[in-house]
Amino acid sequence: MSADPSPKKTPLYDVHQDLGANLVDFAGYLMPLRYAGETEEHRAVRSGAGLFDLSHMGEIFLSGPQAAAALDHALVGNISPMAVGKARYTMITAPDGGVLDDLIVYRLADQTYMVVANASNVAVVRAALVERAEGFDTAVDDRSDSYALIALQGPDAQGILTRFTDAPLADLKYYAILAGRVSCGGTTPHTPRGDGAASPDDAEMVDGVDALIARTGYTGEDGFELFVDSADAVKTWRLLAEVEGVVPSGLSARDTLRLEAGMPLYGNELTAETTPYEAGLGRVVKLDKPGDFVGRAALEAAAQTPPGRRLVGLVARGRRSPRKGYQVVTSDGTPCGVVTSGAPSPTLGKPIAMAYVDSAVDATELAVDVRGRHEPVDVVALPFYKRS
Protein backbone atom coordinates (compact mmCIF):
# COMPACT_ATOMS: atom_id res chain seq x y z
CA MET A 1 0.00 0.00 0.00
CA SER A 2 1.38 3.41 -0.94
CA ALA A 3 1.95 6.14 1.62
CA ASP A 4 -0.71 8.77 2.10
CA PRO A 5 0.05 11.54 -0.46
CA SER A 6 -2.04 14.13 1.37
CA PRO A 7 -0.08 17.21 2.49
CA LYS A 8 0.67 17.50 6.18
CA LYS A 9 -0.68 20.27 8.40
CA THR A 10 1.52 22.44 10.57
CA PRO A 11 0.46 23.02 14.19
CA LEU A 12 -0.86 26.42 13.04
CA TYR A 13 -3.19 25.07 10.35
CA ASP A 14 -6.39 26.01 12.20
CA VAL A 15 -5.06 29.52 12.89
CA HIS A 16 -4.37 30.04 9.20
CA GLN A 17 -7.87 28.88 8.33
CA ASP A 18 -9.38 31.29 10.89
CA LEU A 19 -7.40 34.12 9.31
CA GLY A 20 -8.71 33.27 5.85
CA ALA A 21 -5.32 32.32 4.44
CA ASN A 22 -5.00 30.95 0.93
CA LEU A 23 -3.52 27.53 1.76
CA VAL A 24 -1.43 25.63 -0.78
CA ASP A 25 0.57 22.42 -0.87
CA PHE A 26 4.20 23.45 -0.43
CA ALA A 27 6.92 20.85 0.12
CA GLY A 28 4.30 18.40 1.35
CA TYR A 29 2.66 20.79 3.81
CA LEU A 30 -0.47 22.93 3.66
CA MET A 31 1.06 26.39 3.99
CA PRO A 32 -0.36 29.93 3.82
CA LEU A 33 0.44 31.49 0.47
CA ARG A 34 -1.06 34.81 1.50
CA TYR A 35 -3.59 36.31 3.91
CA ALA A 36 -4.84 39.79 2.96
CA GLY A 37 -2.36 40.17 0.11
CA GLU A 38 1.32 39.59 -0.57
CA THR A 39 2.18 43.23 -1.29
CA GLU A 40 0.74 44.40 2.01
CA GLU A 41 2.52 41.58 3.81
CA HIS A 42 5.82 42.31 2.06
CA ARG A 43 5.68 46.00 2.93
CA ALA A 44 4.80 45.24 6.55
CA VAL A 45 8.06 43.32 6.91
CA ARG A 46 10.06 46.11 5.31
CA SER A 47 8.49 48.83 7.47
CA GLY A 48 7.29 47.13 10.64
CA ALA A 49 6.90 43.42 11.38
CA GLY A 50 5.56 40.32 9.70
CA LEU A 51 4.80 36.96 11.28
CA PHE A 52 5.55 33.72 9.42
CA ASP A 53 4.78 30.05 10.00
CA LEU A 54 7.92 28.11 9.05
CA SER A 55 6.98 24.89 10.79
CA HIS A 56 7.53 22.94 7.59
CA MET A 57 11.28 23.34 8.01
CA GLY A 58 13.30 20.44 9.40
CA GLU A 59 15.22 20.31 12.68
CA ILE A 60 17.82 17.55 12.87
CA PHE A 61 19.96 17.26 16.01
CA LEU A 62 23.44 15.80 16.29
CA SER A 63 24.75 15.17 19.79
CA GLY A 64 27.71 13.42 21.33
CA PRO A 65 31.48 13.81 21.73
CA GLN A 66 32.13 13.72 17.96
CA ALA A 67 29.08 15.64 16.74
CA ALA A 68 31.23 18.52 15.49
CA ALA A 69 33.65 16.18 13.74
CA ALA A 70 30.76 14.40 12.04
CA LEU A 71 29.38 17.70 10.78
CA ASP A 72 32.81 18.78 9.57
CA HIS A 73 32.89 15.58 7.51
CA ALA A 74 29.30 15.85 6.30
CA LEU A 75 29.13 19.56 5.39
CA VAL A 76 31.26 22.03 3.45
CA GLY A 77 31.61 24.40 6.41
CA ASN A 78 34.03 24.37 9.31
CA ILE A 79 31.71 23.61 12.21
CA SER A 80 34.12 22.66 15.01
CA PRO A 81 35.34 26.21 15.81
CA MET A 82 31.78 27.53 16.31
CA ALA A 83 31.10 28.79 19.82
CA VAL A 84 28.02 27.69 21.75
CA GLY A 85 25.15 30.02 20.85
CA LYS A 86 26.38 30.73 17.34
CA ALA A 87 24.90 29.81 13.96
CA ARG A 88 26.43 29.24 10.55
CA TYR A 89 25.05 29.16 7.02
CA THR A 90 26.47 26.18 5.16
CA MET A 91 25.65 23.47 2.63
CA ILE A 92 25.58 19.73 2.26
CA THR A 93 26.80 18.53 -1.14
CA ALA A 94 26.95 15.30 -3.06
CA PRO A 95 30.37 13.75 -3.77
CA ASP A 96 30.35 15.55 -7.15
CA GLY A 97 29.96 18.92 -5.43
CA GLY A 98 26.32 19.47 -6.33
CA VAL A 99 24.24 21.12 -3.60
CA LEU A 100 21.83 18.78 -1.82
CA ASP A 101 20.59 21.56 0.46
CA ASP A 102 21.62 24.82 2.07
CA LEU A 103 21.40 24.74 5.84
CA ILE A 104 21.81 26.67 9.04
CA VAL A 105 23.71 24.91 11.83
CA TYR A 106 23.19 26.13 15.41
CA ARG A 107 25.49 25.09 18.24
CA LEU A 108 23.17 24.74 21.23
CA ALA A 109 25.62 23.20 23.70
CA ASP A 110 29.15 21.87 23.79
CA GLN A 111 28.11 18.57 22.19
CA THR A 112 24.72 19.46 20.70
CA TYR A 113 23.99 20.93 17.26
CA MET A 114 20.74 21.65 15.44
CA VAL A 115 20.73 21.48 11.65
CA VAL A 116 17.82 23.31 10.00
CA ALA A 117 17.00 21.97 6.55
CA ASN A 118 14.60 23.08 3.85
CA ALA A 119 11.27 21.29 4.04
CA SER A 120 11.59 19.60 0.65
CA ASN A 121 14.99 18.19 1.57
CA VAL A 122 14.56 16.98 5.15
CA ALA A 123 14.54 13.31 4.19
CA VAL A 124 17.59 13.73 1.95
CA VAL A 125 19.54 15.67 4.58
CA ARG A 126 18.58 13.26 7.37
CA ALA A 127 19.65 10.23 5.35
CA ALA A 128 22.93 11.86 4.34
CA LEU A 129 23.74 12.90 7.91
CA VAL A 130 22.99 9.40 9.24
CA GLU A 131 25.24 7.86 6.60
CA ARG A 132 28.03 10.38 7.00
CA ALA A 133 27.96 10.17 10.81
CA GLU A 134 28.77 6.45 10.75
CA GLY A 135 32.00 5.82 12.60
CA PHE A 136 31.63 9.00 14.68
CA ASP A 137 30.51 9.00 18.31
CA THR A 138 27.35 10.99 17.70
CA ALA A 139 23.61 10.44 17.51
CA VAL A 140 21.44 11.85 14.70
CA ASP A 141 17.88 12.67 15.76
CA ASP A 142 15.25 14.16 13.46
CA ARG A 143 12.97 16.25 15.71
CA SER A 144 11.14 18.06 12.93
CA ASP A 145 7.70 16.95 14.06
CA SER A 146 8.40 18.06 17.63
CA TYR A 147 9.10 21.68 16.73
CA ALA A 148 7.14 24.57 15.34
CA LEU A 149 9.09 27.46 13.85
CA ILE A 150 7.65 30.98 13.96
CA ALA A 151 9.50 33.94 12.47
CA LEU A 152 8.99 37.56 13.48
CA GLN A 153 10.72 39.69 10.86
CA GLY A 154 11.10 43.42 10.33
CA PRO A 155 12.65 46.55 11.88
CA ASP A 156 10.16 46.45 14.78
CA ALA A 157 10.80 42.80 15.62
CA GLN A 158 13.17 43.37 18.54
CA GLY A 159 10.94 45.94 20.19
CA ILE A 160 7.92 43.67 19.88
CA LEU A 161 9.56 40.48 21.09
CA THR A 162 11.25 42.28 24.00
CA ARG A 163 7.80 42.86 25.49
CA PHE A 164 7.33 39.13 25.95
CA THR A 165 10.71 37.83 27.06
CA ASP A 166 13.48 38.62 29.51
CA ALA A 167 16.03 37.14 27.11
CA PRO A 168 18.76 39.69 26.28
CA LEU A 169 17.70 40.28 22.68
CA ALA A 170 19.70 43.50 22.36
CA ASP A 171 22.87 41.50 22.99
CA LEU A 172 21.95 38.72 20.57
CA LYS A 173 24.04 39.15 17.44
CA TYR A 174 23.03 38.23 13.91
CA TYR A 175 23.41 34.47 13.38
CA ALA A 176 23.26 33.67 17.08
CA ILE A 177 20.79 31.75 19.24
CA LEU A 178 19.80 31.52 22.89
CA ALA A 179 17.33 29.63 25.04
CA GLY A 180 14.63 31.88 26.47
CA ARG A 181 11.09 32.01 27.69
CA VAL A 182 8.28 33.78 25.89
CA SER A 183 5.49 34.99 28.17
CA CYS A 184 3.09 37.91 28.59
CA GLY A 185 3.44 37.81 32.36
CA GLY A 186 4.81 41.09 33.67
CA THR A 187 5.08 42.77 30.28
CA THR A 188 3.41 45.85 28.89
CA PRO A 189 -0.19 44.97 28.01
CA HIS A 190 -0.64 44.48 24.30
CA THR A 191 -3.43 45.81 22.13
CA PRO A 192 -5.67 43.21 20.46
CA ARG A 193 -5.53 43.40 16.69
CA GLY A 194 -9.28 43.10 16.26
CA ASP A 195 -8.90 41.29 12.94
CA GLY A 196 -10.34 37.97 13.95
CA ALA A 197 -7.29 36.45 15.63
CA ALA A 198 -8.40 34.54 18.70
CA SER A 199 -7.30 35.85 22.09
CA PRO A 200 -5.02 33.55 24.09
CA ASP A 201 -6.02 32.31 27.48
CA ASP A 202 -4.38 34.74 29.91
CA ALA A 203 -3.55 32.13 32.53
CA GLU A 204 -2.03 29.89 29.89
CA MET A 205 0.14 32.67 28.48
CA VAL A 206 1.37 33.88 31.86
CA ASP A 207 2.98 30.47 32.24
CA GLY A 208 4.88 31.17 29.03
CA VAL A 209 6.68 28.77 26.72
CA ASP A 210 10.27 27.72 26.33
CA ALA A 211 11.83 28.76 23.04
CA LEU A 212 15.08 28.72 21.18
CA ILE A 213 15.34 32.29 19.90
CA ALA A 214 17.60 32.81 16.89
CA ARG A 215 18.49 36.11 15.25
CA THR A 216 18.19 34.71 11.77
CA GLY A 217 15.75 35.05 8.89
CA TYR A 218 15.11 34.91 5.18
CA THR A 219 13.77 38.39 4.44
CA GLY A 220 16.72 40.76 4.37
CA GLU A 221 15.43 42.44 7.54
CA ASP A 222 16.31 42.14 11.19
CA GLY A 223 14.22 39.58 13.00
CA PHE A 224 13.97 36.42 15.02
CA GLU A 225 13.06 32.80 14.49
CA LEU A 226 11.45 31.03 17.44
CA PHE A 227 11.72 27.26 17.77
CA VAL A 228 8.99 26.12 20.15
CA ASP A 229 7.34 22.84 21.02
CA SER A 230 4.62 22.00 18.52
CA ALA A 231 2.07 22.06 21.34
CA ASP A 232 3.03 25.68 22.10
CA ALA A 233 2.77 26.95 18.52
CA VAL A 234 -0.76 28.37 18.63
CA LYS A 235 -0.39 30.34 21.84
CA THR A 236 3.01 31.69 20.74
CA TRP A 237 1.60 32.80 17.38
CA ARG A 238 -1.47 34.41 18.92
CA LEU A 239 0.60 36.28 21.49
CA LEU A 240 2.68 37.94 18.78
CA ALA A 241 -0.14 38.29 16.22
CA GLU A 242 -2.22 40.36 18.65
CA VAL A 243 0.35 43.15 18.74
CA GLU A 244 -0.79 46.15 16.75
CA GLY A 245 1.14 46.37 13.49
CA VAL A 246 2.20 42.71 13.30
CA VAL A 247 0.96 41.33 9.98
CA PRO A 248 0.60 37.57 9.34
CA SER A 249 2.62 36.91 6.19
CA GLY A 250 2.67 34.01 3.76
CA LEU A 251 4.95 32.26 1.31
CA SER A 252 4.43 34.81 -1.48
CA ALA A 253 5.72 37.68 0.63
CA ARG A 254 8.57 35.55 1.93
CA ASP A 255 9.58 34.81 -1.66
CA THR A 256 9.61 38.43 -2.83
CA LEU A 257 11.43 39.49 0.35
CA ARG A 258 14.20 36.91 -0.10
CA LEU A 259 14.38 37.70 -3.84
CA GLU A 260 14.95 41.40 -3.16
CA ALA A 261 17.62 40.41 -0.64
CA GLY A 262 19.34 38.17 -3.21
CA MET A 263 18.94 35.06 -1.09
CA PRO A 264 18.96 31.74 -2.97
CA LEU A 265 16.07 29.30 -2.89
CA TYR A 266 16.70 25.60 -3.14
CA GLY A 267 15.14 24.27 -6.32
CA ASN A 268 15.67 27.62 -8.02
CA GLU A 269 19.18 29.03 -7.55
CA LEU A 270 20.48 25.90 -5.81
CA THR A 271 20.10 22.35 -7.11
CA ALA A 272 21.97 19.06 -7.09
CA GLU A 273 23.36 20.10 -10.49
CA THR A 274 24.70 23.40 -9.12
CA THR A 275 27.94 23.91 -7.20
CA PRO A 276 28.33 26.61 -4.54
CA TYR A 277 30.83 28.37 -6.81
CA GLU A 278 28.33 28.73 -9.65
CA ALA A 279 25.88 30.27 -7.18
CA GLY A 280 28.45 32.81 -6.03
CA LEU A 281 28.61 31.11 -2.63
CA GLY A 282 32.08 29.65 -2.77
CA ARG A 283 32.85 31.48 0.47
CA VAL A 284 30.87 28.90 2.44
CA VAL A 285 33.14 26.08 1.21
CA LYS A 286 36.01 25.81 3.69
CA LEU A 287 38.73 24.04 1.76
CA ASP A 288 41.22 25.13 4.40
CA LYS A 289 39.60 23.13 7.18
CA PRO A 290 41.46 20.00 8.33
CA GLY A 291 40.40 16.55 7.26
CA ASP A 292 38.31 15.29 4.42
CA PHE A 293 34.64 16.04 3.79
CA VAL A 294 32.12 14.75 1.29
CA GLY A 295 32.58 16.62 -1.96
CA ARG A 296 36.02 18.04 -1.15
CA ALA A 297 37.83 16.70 -4.24
CA ALA A 298 35.15 17.92 -6.63
CA LEU A 299 34.91 21.29 -4.94
CA GLU A 300 38.69 21.73 -4.92
CA ALA A 301 38.64 21.19 -8.67
CA ALA A 302 35.69 23.57 -9.08
CA ALA A 303 37.51 26.23 -7.11
CA GLN A 304 40.39 26.11 -9.59
CA THR A 305 38.16 26.34 -12.67
CA PRO A 306 36.13 29.47 -13.45
CA PRO A 307 32.46 28.43 -13.57
CA GLY A 308 30.80 28.43 -16.97
CA ARG A 309 27.87 30.43 -15.65
CA ARG A 310 27.25 33.01 -12.97
CA LEU A 311 24.27 34.17 -10.96
CA VAL A 312 23.23 37.76 -11.67
CA GLY A 313 20.43 40.17 -10.88
CA LEU A 314 18.09 41.46 -13.58
CA VAL A 315 15.89 44.55 -13.39
CA ALA A 316 13.19 44.81 -16.04
CA ARG A 317 12.68 48.08 -17.86
CA GLY A 318 9.06 47.28 -18.59
CA ARG A 319 6.20 45.93 -16.50
CA ARG A 320 6.29 42.27 -17.55
CA SER A 321 7.97 40.03 -14.98
CA PRO A 322 10.64 37.50 -15.86
CA ARG A 323 9.69 34.17 -14.28
CA LYS A 324 11.51 30.96 -13.39
CA GLY A 325 12.50 29.06 -16.52
CA TYR A 326 12.32 32.01 -18.92
CA GLN A 327 15.21 32.24 -21.34
CA VAL A 328 17.76 35.07 -21.11
CA VAL A 329 19.11 36.33 -24.45
CA THR A 330 21.71 38.78 -25.68
CA SER A 331 20.87 41.90 -27.68
CA ASP A 332 20.93 39.88 -30.91
CA GLY A 333 18.62 37.20 -29.51
CA THR A 334 21.27 34.58 -28.75
CA PRO A 335 20.29 32.43 -25.73
CA CYS A 336 22.73 32.98 -22.87
CA GLY A 337 21.00 31.92 -19.68
CA VAL A 338 17.85 31.14 -17.74
CA VAL A 339 15.84 32.90 -15.04
CA THR A 340 15.80 31.09 -11.70
CA SER A 341 13.47 33.43 -9.76
CA GLY A 342 11.47 36.47 -10.76
CA ALA A 343 8.62 38.65 -9.51
CA PRO A 344 7.46 42.26 -9.24
CA SER A 345 9.42 44.00 -6.49
CA PRO A 346 7.20 45.97 -4.10
CA THR A 347 10.25 47.87 -2.81
CA LEU A 348 11.78 48.78 -6.17
CA GLY A 349 8.47 49.18 -7.95
CA LYS A 350 9.56 47.14 -10.97
CA PRO A 351 10.06 43.48 -11.88
CA ILE A 352 13.29 41.82 -10.80
CA ALA A 353 14.85 38.41 -11.29
CA MET A 354 17.85 36.26 -10.57
CA ALA A 355 19.30 34.30 -13.46
CA TYR A 356 22.23 32.16 -14.45
CA VAL A 357 24.00 33.57 -17.50
CA ASP A 358 27.03 32.36 -19.40
CA SER A 359 30.20 33.67 -17.77
CA ALA A 360 31.50 34.80 -21.16
CA VAL A 361 28.62 37.28 -21.38
CA ASP A 362 29.54 40.47 -19.52
CA ALA A 363 26.92 42.78 -21.01
CA THR A 364 25.08 45.18 -18.73
CA GLU A 365 21.96 44.95 -20.88
CA LEU A 366 20.22 41.72 -21.85
CA ALA A 367 16.67 40.60 -22.53
CA VAL A 368 14.31 37.93 -21.25
CA ASP A 369 11.98 36.00 -23.52
CA VAL A 370 8.61 36.65 -21.86
CA ARG A 371 6.04 34.63 -23.77
CA GLY A 372 7.63 35.30 -27.12
CA ARG A 373 8.66 38.91 -26.56
CA HIS A 374 12.20 39.95 -25.74
CA GLU A 375 11.82 42.27 -22.77
CA PRO A 376 14.92 44.38 -22.03
CA VAL A 377 16.57 44.03 -18.62
CA ASP A 378 19.52 45.63 -16.88
CA VAL A 379 22.13 43.35 -15.31
CA VAL A 380 22.85 44.42 -11.74
CA ALA A 381 24.82 43.17 -8.77
CA LEU A 382 23.00 41.28 -6.03
CA PRO A 383 21.29 41.97 -3.72
CA PHE A 384 18.61 44.29 -5.06
CA TYR A 385 17.84 45.51 -1.55
CA LYS A 386 19.95 45.87 1.57
CA ARG A 387 18.58 47.28 4.81
CA SER A 388 20.27 50.35 6.17
Side-chain angles (χ1 to χ4, degrees):
M1 182 178 294
S2 61
D4 184 359
S6 300
K8 298 170 67 175
K9 299 175 182 178
T10 78
L12 293 166
Y13 172 80
D14 290 338
V15 173
H16 302 320
Q17 279 201 315
D18 291 343
L19 290 171
N22 178 9
L23 294 166
V24 298
D25 184 349
F26 180 80
Y29 285 81
L30 282 173
M31 297 295 295
L33 185 65
R34 65 180 65 85
Y35 300 86
E38 57 261 39
T39 300
E40 175 187 338
E41 295 161 20
H42 179 112
R43 288 175 175 161
V45 176
R46 289 281 181 253
S47 62
L51 193 64
F52 298 84
D53 178 12
L54 306 181
S55 302
H56 60 312
M57 302 290 281
E59 293 85 17
I60 303 170
F61 284 67
L62 276 77
S63 57
Q66 292 187 306
L71 288 169
D72 283 339
H73 171 67
L75 311 179
V76 302
N78 194 9
I79 306 303
S80 293
M82 286 175 57
V84 172
K86 296 299 184 182
R88 181 157 298 168
Y89 176 78
T90 186
M91 296 179 182
I92 185 167
T93 66
D96 66 0
V99 179
L100 298 179
D101 201 13
D102 60 334
L103 313 163
I104 297 181
V105 177
Y106 299 89
R107 188 169 192 173
L108 303 181
D110 185 49
Q111 297 183 6
T112 304
Y113 297 80
M114 178 173 66
V115 178
V116 176
N118 286 297
S120 60
N121 293 328
V122 175
V124 171
V125 173
R126 178 180 61 241
L129 289 176
V130 168
E131 178 183 353
R132 297 175 189 190
E134 289 183 4
F136 293 90
D137 187 1
T138 184
V140 180
D141 183 14
D142 184 355
R143 304 182 193 174
S144 302
D145 290 339
S146 299
Y147 278 95
L149 178 55
I150 297 171
L152 181 66
Q153 299 282 299
D156 294 344
Q158 179 177 314
I160 292 166
L161 189 56
T162 296
R163 297 166 59 179
F164 305 110
T165 181
D166 292 331
L169 301 182
D171 297 330
L172 189 66
K173 304 299 184 183
Y174 188 51
Y175 265 67
I177 191 169
L178 54 75
R181 195 157 179 81
V182 178
S183 171
C184 70
T187 64
T188 303
H190 54 279
T191 303
R193 290 170 49 88
D195 61 358
S199 298
D201 180 83
D202 290 338
E204 182 181 50
M205 286 314 304
V206 167
D207 291 339
V209 302
D210 292 322
L212 293 171
I213 304 172
R215 198 161 206 153
T216 46
Y218 195 52
T219 64
E221 295 295 340
D222 189 18
F224 301 88
E225 296 181 318
L226 283 67
F227 299 85
V228 300
D229 189 284
S230 293
D232 294 326
V234 172
K235 57 187 175 182
T236 304
W237 173 280
R238 286 175 174 167
L239 176 71
L240 297 171
E242 283 194 339
V243 176
E244 187 68 32
V246 173
V247 176
S249 304
L251 293 173
S252 286
R254 190 165 180 253
D255 192 51
T256 53
L257 288 159
R258 70 92 192 167
L259 175 57
E260 287 184 349
M263 295 178 169
L265 176 66
Y266 195 88
N268 291 37
E269 288 72 42
L270 300 174
T271 70
E273 292 71 44
T274 305
T275 70
Y277 295 100
E278 290 175 301
L281 294 169
R283 64 183 182 277
V284 309
V285 181
K286 302 304 180 184
L287 295 174
D288 58 348
K289 69 176 179 178
D292 194 16
F293 64 90
V294 178
R296 176 188 275 277
L299 291 170
E300 283 179 333
Q304 299 300 316
T305 306
R309 58 179 185 159
R310 59 194 176 96
L311 189 64
V312 301
L314 305 176
V315 178
R317 296 182 181 177
R319 309 306 302 174
R320 305 177 82 190
S321 293
R323 299 290 185 177
K324 179 183 177 181
Y326 287 9
Q327 194 172 67
V328 182
V329 299
T330 61
S331 57
D332 64 1
T334 302
C336 66
V338 64
V339 173
T340 54
S341 297
S345 165
T347 303
L348 276 64
K350 57 185 69 175
I352 59 174
M354 288 194 282
Y356 279 110
V357 299
D358 297 340
S359 295
V361 176
D362 61 359
T364 59
E365 300 175 11
L366 294 171
V368 175
D369 187 335
V370 180
R371 296 187 294 276
R373 287 184 54 182
H374 288 182
E375 299 288 344
V377 293
D378 293 314
V379 181
V380 301
L382 295 169
F384 302 99
Y385 167 86
K386 190 173 184 179
R387 66 186 175 95
S388 56

